[in-house]
Amino acid sequence: MDKSTIFSGQPIFSQLLSLIPNYLIERLARKYDADRYCKKFDTRHHLVTLLFAVINQCTSIREVVTGLQVAGGKKGHIKMIHDVRRSTLSDANRRRPEAFFGDLFHELYKLHYGFPDSRKVNPRAPYEKRLFIIDSTTIKLFHDILAGLGKIPSNGKRKGGLKAHVMIKASEDTPCVVTLTKASANDRVFFKSISLPRGSIITFDKGYANFRQFEGWTRNGVTWVSRVLPKWIVKEQKENPISQDQQNKGVLSDKQVTIGDPKNSKTLKIKARIIRYKDFEKDRIFEFVTNNMKFLPNKIADIYKNRWQIELLFKRIKQRYPLRYFLGDNENAIKIQVWCALIADLLVKIMKDRTRRKWAYSNISSIIRLHLMTYVNLTAFLENPDKTLKHYKPPEPQLKLFGFT
């Protein structure tokens, strides 16, 4: 019989978990004292249980517990020695610090993406290697746990909400910095959590406009690109000439200006550049603002267009790991589940980037979800599924006693 590499001694779930070093879990568990008063259901068991839940899109604690029970002997491969009880999981979601899971996510990102040679990327444009995108997304909650957005409905009950503030590197397409706040928090609070190296480029929506931050980035050699707010005081200093080629690409005007906030007379006056650009496909005119005086106008427009990449990331996470049903009715439990969804997304993204064959993220995540506890060598299958299956021959049926099959 031909030897096949399709089967593995470990299920796919165990292969994913191998991307999370045990020393990292132990170090962070000590940092947050996460195993205090814990007898059996320690931090690692908690993490594995919730990753199983979000990947399988479980909608209740009962589904999680029974799903692990059905796994039976396979749980040994993921080092789940004891059965999980619903009350135990519920208590852990309420008591174990959500900061452990947040730190674990960021440490895993640094481990797998934080070094120059950790991933080979093929950016579509040279500047994408140093382009960062920031935005936020709101997760609606049907319980008054966190402050929501908008006016109070006619029934007097405002939905709670959790806001995830995210920064991604365009060439990696995965979050590198994430903070979780209540939905009513201002987007600009995220600036305290990010630090950009000199020469970076960052793009963001109008909600992040902050003149002191603009000045700090300019002083530190960081290029920023956003859109103009109508309330700003804009004083034109100089109009740059536009070539015919730039006009054909949609550039309408290119001006050097100073911008300020009318609500505060002491606000810094920032030297900037405003570019009016027409999108022929949508038949819309945009005004982009930046501190970069050297890039061609159409390149500034292209940089801002990359902002749509983070919207696709939000869509990817919310579709593959639905955040509509939570395994707890308290703030800590909800944040833990969001962090575990981000960790699961990161693990699948690592497997995708390790594979030389081009796969859509949705295809890989579906394979993992449907065969999470199957003994398949995921790396070998993703590299060449046709060849792997072609050389596989099922074992011949064994004869039973007395010649009966």
Side-chain angles (χ1 to χ4, degrees):
M1 186 190 307
D2 293 336
K3 189 174 181 179
S4 175
T5 59
I6 186 174
F7 289 118
S8 169
Q10 300 289 332
I12 286 179
F13 193 22
S14 181
Q15 296 170 50
L16 283 182
L17 294 176
S18 67
L19 301 173
I20 308 176
N22 285 327
Y23 75 83
L24 196 56
I25 298 176
E26 294 170 0
R27 175 163 61 83
L28 293 177
R30 288 195 299 270
K31 176 181 177 181
Y32 291 102
D33 200 12
D35 288 332
R36 188 180 184 184
Y37 305 125
C38 178
K39 296 180 179 179
K40 296 180 180 179
F41 196 62
D42 60 11
T43 306
R44 188 185 184 282
H45 280 72
H46 193 186
L47 173 67
V48 171
T49 301
L50 289 180
L51 288 177
F52 177 88
V54 297
I55 293 175
N56 278 297
Q57 302 180 8
C58 296
T59 60
S60 67
I61 291 182
R62 186 182 294 275
E63 283 188 17
V64 180
V65 171
T66 54
L68 286 170
Q69 287 174 342
V70 169
K74 296 179 181 180
K75 289 187 295 184
H77 290 293
I78 56 176
K79 300 180 181 179
M80 292 282 290
I81 302 173
H82 307 286
D83 288 334
V84 182
R85 303 296 179 187
R86 284 178 291 163
S87 58
T88 303
L89 178 55
S90 180
D91 290 342
N93 283 341
R94 185 179 66 257
R95 296 173 57 182
R96 185 159 282 128
E98 56 88 14
F100 163 83
F101 298 89
D103 269 17
L104 179 62
F105 167 79
H106 289 103
E107 290 292 335
L108 286 174
Y109 170 81
K110 293 176 184 177
L111 178 65
H112 294 283
Y113 287 94
F115 300 99
D117 297 329
S118 59
R119 284 289 173 270
K120 295 180 180 179
V121 295
N122 296 307
R124 292 163 292 184
Y127 62 79
E128 284 194 1
K129 287 186 177 181
R130 49 197 179 97
L131 174 61
F132 295 86
I133 308 168
I134 60 174
D135 204 351
S136 64
T137 183
T138 300
I139 301 167
K140 295 181 180 179
L141 306 176
F142 290 88
H143 195 284
D144 192 16
I145 300 171
L146 293 156
L149 287 174
K151 62 181 181 180
I152 300 177
S154 57
N155 59 9
K157 296 181 180 179
R158 179 183 295 181
K159 295 179 181 178
L162 180 72
K163 182 181 285 187
H165 306 264
V166 181
M167 181 171 76
I168 69 171
K169 198 172 182 179
S171 60
E172 294 169 350
D173 194 28
T174 190
C176 56
V177 180
V178 181
T179 61
L180 303 179
T181 66
K182 58 184 180 181
S184 59
N186 192 292
D187 287 337
R188 291 190 289 267
V189 301
F190 188 46
F191 289 144
K192 299 177 182 178
S193 304
I194 63 177
S195 177
L196 299 174
R198 192 175 188 85
S200 300
I201 305 171
I202 186 167
T203 183
F204 45 88
D205 203 357
K206 295 181 287 187
Y208 290 90
N210 182 279
F211 291 99
R212 291 209 172 273
Q213 188 64 59
F214 290 167
E215 184 196 36
W217 279 331
T218 301
R219 188 171 57 249
N220 295 327
V222 175
T223 293
W224 49 269
V225 178
S226 186
R227 288 174 61 189
V228 178
L229 281 172
K231 67 179 182 179
W232 287 349
I233 296 176
V234 179
K235 293 185 178 180
E236 182 179 341
Q237 302 294 324
K238 177 184 175 183
E239 183 165 1
N240 299 324
I242 305 171
S243 66
Q244 185 62 45
D245 180 60
Q246 292 293 308
Q247 293 180 21
N248 294 337
K249 293 179 179 179
V251 178
L252 301 179
S253 67
D254 180 6
K255 299 178 181 180
Q256 295 182 23
V257 300
T258 59
I259 55 178
D261 189 345
K263 293 184 179 180
N264 188 352
S265 59
K266 297 181 180 179
T267 300
L268 297 169
K269 300 300 187 293
I270 306 298
K271 292 182 179 180
R273 180 181 174 199
I274 292 180
I275 296 165
R276 294 186 76 245
Y277 174 85
K278 182 173 183 179
D279 188 334
F280 294 113
E281 293 182 2
K282 297 182 178 180
D283 194 24
R284 290 182 59 189
I285 295 177
F286 298 91
E287 284 189 321
F288 303 116
V289 60
T290 180
N291 63 335
N292 191 297
M293 305 296 177
K294 297 181 180 179
F295 282 175
L296 292 174
N298 70 299
K299 181 179 285 190
I300 299 297
D302 290 340
I303 288 174
Y304 188 82
K305 284 182 180 179
N306 278 274
R307 202 189 66 81
W308 185 249
Q309 184 178 344
I310 199 169
E311 300 291 349
L312 296 178
L313 171 70
F314 294 152
K315 183 178 180 181
R316 179 181 88 194
I317 294 175
K318 289 183 177 181
Q319 284 184 341
R320 309 310 301 183
Y321 314 100
L323 297 173
R324 297 189 298 271
Y325 304 97
F326 290 91
L327 306 181
D329 60 355
N330 56 84
E331 180 178 343
N332 193 71
I334 291 169
K335 287 185 176 181
I336 287 176
Q337 190 167 334
V338 173
W339 284 123
C340 286
L342 291 169
I343 292 172
D345 176 80
L346 179 61
L347 296 179
V348 176
K349 186 65 168 55
I350 293 169
M351 295 300 299
K352 178 180 182 299
D353 290 345
R354 283 186 173 184
T355 306
R356 289 171 294 181
R357 186 187 181 100
K358 291 185 178 180
W359 283 84
Y361 179 96
S362 57
N363 289 341
I364 294 182
S365 62
S366 295
I367 292 171
I368 291 174
R369 179 173 60 84
L370 294 172
H371 301 280
L372 191 62
M373 303 302 290
T374 304
Y375 294 81
V376 172
N377 188 323
L378 182 61
T379 302
F381 177 81
L382 293 177
E383 288 291 352
N384 200 328
D386 296 331
K387 183 178 179 180
T388 305
L389 294 174
K390 181 178 180 181
H391 290 287
Y392 167 67
K393 293 182 180 180
E396 297 178 359
Q398 295 183 352
L399 295 177
K400 294 185 179 181
L401 292 176
F402 310 110
F404 294 102
T405 59

